[in-house]
Amino acid sequence: MAVKIELDVKKKQLTVSEPESVSSLVNGYYGYMKKGTIHLFSEEALYLLDIRNASCNDTSLNTYRFNAVAALFPQKKQMARYFAYKDWRDRGLIARQTSEICECYGRNNAKKYPPGELKLDKYALQGRFYADDLWSIIDDEPVGKELYERYWLGQFGSYKAEQRGKLSKLDAYETLFLVRHAGMHLENAKEADVIRAARKQHKDFLHLYSVYEDWRLHGYVLKTGFKFGTHFRLYMPGASPVREGNEWIHSKHVIHCFPRSSKMLISEWARAIRVAHSVKKTFLLAIPGEAKKKKITGKKKETDNFRTTLDFLLYHRQHGGIENPKTGKPKYLMLSLSEEEYIGGEELAEAIAQCKRIGLELILAICDRETSVTYYAVKRVEVPGSKEEYYEIEWEQP
Amino acid sequence: MAVKIELDVKKKQLTVSEPESVSSLVNGYYGYMKKGTIHLFSEEALYLLDIRNASCNDTSLNTYRFNAVAALFPQKKQMARYFAYKDWRDRGLIARQTSEICECYGRNNAKKYPPGELKLDKYALQGRFYADDLWSIIDDEPVGKELYERYWLGQFGSYKAEQRGKLSKLDAYETLFLVRHAGMHLENAKEADVIRAARKQHKDFLHLYSVYEDWRLHGYVLKTGFKFGTHFRLYMPGASPVREGNEWIHSKHVIHCFPRSSKMLISEWARAIRVAHSVKKTFLLAIPGEAKKKKITGKKKETDNFRTTLDFLLYHRQHGGIENPKTGKPKYLMLSLSEEEYIGGEELAEAIAQCKRIGLELILAICDRETSVTYYAVKRVEVPGSKEEYYEIEWEQP
């Protein structure tokens, strides 16, 4: 029998009191019970109307369809939220309101990456900077060759054909790194000129450089991620471009930077992850830049730790069944987004910080224009010795 | 024997006169001959220094290495140009200066797409617009279902599960299209409200819509290209979402819009093409917007038709050999770009127009930070009845 929803337009309440409907909703973990009546949140009522053939009437027995109910409960990003809720429910999984959070669940541990350190010998490095192109070139063959073979700094010869040519080509990140950490002298530019030229092309250059420098100083090798649609590709400490036998070393990670101060269209963001995914690389996100200082007003209550701006509390699967609020703990916090929306680095960093406090993993639910939802889980990563945090973004099929 | 290049610093001339070197350069199609002496362009001299172990001395017998020669012949994007030139040459192919163009080569024909036409019946369409999310919803089940099944407008039910749910969800493009072409009535918004809300989110919305409308009116079906990293995916005229048997229809094309008035980072541009390529779809580019009017000064000479701002004239392969200036015609005009550069829609449209006049295909040579070059050929596409031009972008391995 279809569920009958009662709408109190004045009180803005959606309730179900008919006993058979009540017990079916309790079993499905919809709403909350108060004196034998189920109180529904608006997404739950919309879902029952859309999918479960429910009816909705007010006290004068006027019928309300989907749009009429939605119009009574307006909120920001109402449909992105609703479609993400619907999709999770359609998978047979449970989603609840975040107002129910009252503890730290301890389900959000960082993954540790291997430690490393860069030990750079002293060289007399001399190059020419091409400001318009953001390359510098060392035309001293032995020096360029050694830089490349020992540290994989620059591209000696040609890409995948080092024996072809005798120049060493350094990109802007490598150039600035060698100027700062190896005293490289450029015949036509100082450090400030390199920075000025690079920022002119790419206003976030220094943010990207800070990420490059952090990983490099911890022994990792970073090269352009152009072929994989990201800012950098990454090799573990100790990686070398000198091939043993004829094997070319393959990177397993790519890094993309999303500065706190920047905004990005969700579809562009998803595209970067998609390319990495299509070439089977782990997508690492860096969010460089300073956090905005928040005003602290009044006394902080303990429950403030569990406040969140996120959308839903998600229960997932467990061996042979699904997690539910009665016998288990939630796994994720969901941020629902739509394809055509912009997200700020600051906003994403704040969502990640909230999830860390609450001890749940963040999952981004991105709803495309056809209301198909794609999920990305955000896992924290620690690089030993680094003060920065990084994030693996994994495509999830819940 | 290595080539000896003579540099005249005052005249800014790079010449080779030693007979053995001259004949080797003539055979390789380097420079141009003048009274038994070869005059080299700066990229050619740099290439010979870099790869062919050439030496370069001025009249006082001072030696010039790569950087010293490059410094004497500065120009815009000098290294992007050089690396692209080098890569083409490294493949055993010939690249020449565009100043040699003196005819229309007739090697740039448009590909014709199938004709079609949309015949939209009259409906009494009624929906609600969600301005924050850019969706509208029709909650009248039979109407939404028919719109979906007959025209593939909106998403009825759920994505790939039409029987699940009874709402029809229309994105902003479909919404505006139905308002304009089928008199859809929105209970809470007028046409101008839809446009305002969409432009607030996406300033290029009307440009994208004009592309959507053009293809739709010619019978093609366009849906979101989110999963393929583009604005739209495309089905040929007559495509239907109603599956015969259990087969889901697959799109073979995606469309991305790059408005003339916009600028895009090359790495982002390449990423969009890469996603399409990884899912084996043809990438179609639209460049909506009005062309800037150019001032026409003085009399136009016939040779003006062959003027170009492009970088190199490229000879390619032919059965069993390579094309060369002596026995054949060039195939492409190259625009060389670097990963970190921005390109404007206007600039790209102008490059395409120049290629059309000269009768050669445009090839974009994108040089990443490691100086590895990726090529994209631009092929013109005609949709019968449409005034617009579109372009297939193909990844090329020359």
Side-chain angles (χ1 to χ4, degrees), chain B residues 181-324:
Chain B
H181 297 281
M184 178 163 72
H185 175 77
L186 296 167
E187 64 185 52
N188 61 338
K190 300 251 174 268
E191 180 179 335
D193 301 317
V194 174
I195 295 173
R196 196 180 312 117
R199 291 191 69 183
K200 200 177 138 190
Q201 206 99 296
H202 202 324
K203 73 175 174 45
D204 290 325
F205 172 75
L206 283 178
H207 284 312
L208 270 62
Y209 175 77
S210 74
V211 171
Y212 174 85
E213 190 178 51
D214 186 40
W215 287 89
R216 268 286 186 186
L217 292 175
H218 292 95
Y220 290 77
V221 173
L222 276 77
K223 305 299 287 182
T224 175
F226 178 73
K227 290 193 169 61
F228 313 120
T230 52
H231 292 126
F232 304 105
R233 66 182 197 275
L234 178 89
Y235 300 89
M236 293 291 132
S240 160
V242 183
R243 284 162 277 183
E244 315 242 335
N246 227 346
E247 267 308 295
W248 182 259
I249 182 171
H250 287 286
S251 60
K252 294 197 182 68
H253 300 75
V254 292
I255 307 189
H256 205 65
C257 304
F258 183 24
R260 275 181 183 265
S261 51
S262 69
K263 284 200 168 284
M264 197 168 180
L265 194 58
I266 286 296
S267 55
E268 287 168 14
W269 199 80
R271 192 188 296 148
I273 302 172
R274 244 169 239 287
V275 183
H277 190 255
S278 76
V279 288
K280 300 189 172 52
K281 311 248 181 237
T282 300
F283 184 93
L284 276 166
L285 185 72
I287 313 184
E290 291 293 311
K292 270 189 198 160
K293 287 215 177 101
K294 270 183 245 150
K295 278 184 205 160
I296 296 162
T297 46
K299 260 191 205 162
K300 203 181 168 204
K301 291 181 221 144
E302 208 185 320
T303 54
D304 284 354
N305 280 330
F306 306 129
R307 285 238 182 109
T308 173
T309 55
L310 294 162
D311 290 302
F312 296 104
L313 194 57
L314 301 181
Y315 291 80
H316 198 224
R317 298 185 197 283
Q318 57 188 9
H319 17 274
I322 59 163
E323 296 172 339
N324 70 62

Side-chain angles (χ1 to χ4, degrees), chain A residues 331-392:
Chain A
K331 179 153 182 211
Y332 298 116
L333 277 164
M334 180 203 273
L335 179 61
S336 59
L337 299 156
S338 67
E339 173 186 347
E340 303 241 288
E341 198 173 324
Y342 280 82
I343 187 168
E346 189 66 44
E347 187 187 341
L348 184 62
E350 179 53 30
I352 292 170
Q354 288 175 9
C355 287
K356 189 175 169 183
R357 275 202 305 279
I358 295 165
L360 293 176
E361 260 181 34
L362 174 62
I363 203 162
L364 306 175
I366 300 179
C367 186
D368 75 12
R369 302 203 310 264
E370 256 165 331
T371 71
S372 165
V373 180
T374 309
Y375 295 94
Y376 297 101
V378 180
K379 294 179 195 299
R380 293 189 300 119
V381 161
E382 273 171 28
V383 180
S386 168
K387 290 180 303 179
E388 305 300 323
E389 231 182 36
Y390 299 96
Y391 312 99
E392 284 186 3

Side-chain angles (χ1 to χ4, degrees), chain A residues 183-291:
Chain A
M184 179 164 71
H185 174 76
L186 297 168
E187 62 185 53
N188 61 337
K190 301 251 173 266
E191 180 178 336
D193 300 318
V194 174
I195 295 173
R196 195 180 313 115
R199 292 190 69 183
K200 197 177 140 191
Q201 206 98 296
H202 201 322
K203 75 176 173 46
D204 290 326
F205 172 75
L206 283 178
H207 284 312
L208 271 63
Y209 176 77
S210 74
V211 172
Y212 174 85
E213 189 178 52
D214 187 40
W215 287 90
R216 268 285 186 184
L217 290 176
H218 291 96
Y220 290 75
V221 173
L222 276 77
K223 305 299 285 182
T224 176
F226 178 73
K227 288 195 170 59
F228 312 121
T230 53
H231 293 127
F232 304 105
R233 66 182 197 273
L234 179 88
Y235 300 88
M236 293 290 132
S240 160
V242 183
R243 284 161 277 183
E244 316 239 334
N246 229 345
E247 266 311 293
W248 182 259
I249 183 171
H250 285 286
S251 61
K252 294 197 182 65
H253 300 75
V254 292
I255 306 187
H256 205 66
C257 304
F258 183 23
R260 276 182 183 264
S261 51
S262 69
K263 283 200 169 286
M264 197 167 179
L265 194 58
I266 287 296
S267 55
E268 285 168 14
W269 199 80
R271 191 188 297 149
I273 303 173
R274 244 171 240 286
V275 184
H277 191 255
S278 76
V279 288
K280 300 187 172 55
K281 312 245 179 241
T282 300
F283 184 94
L284 278 164
L285 185 72
I287 314 185
E290 292 293 311

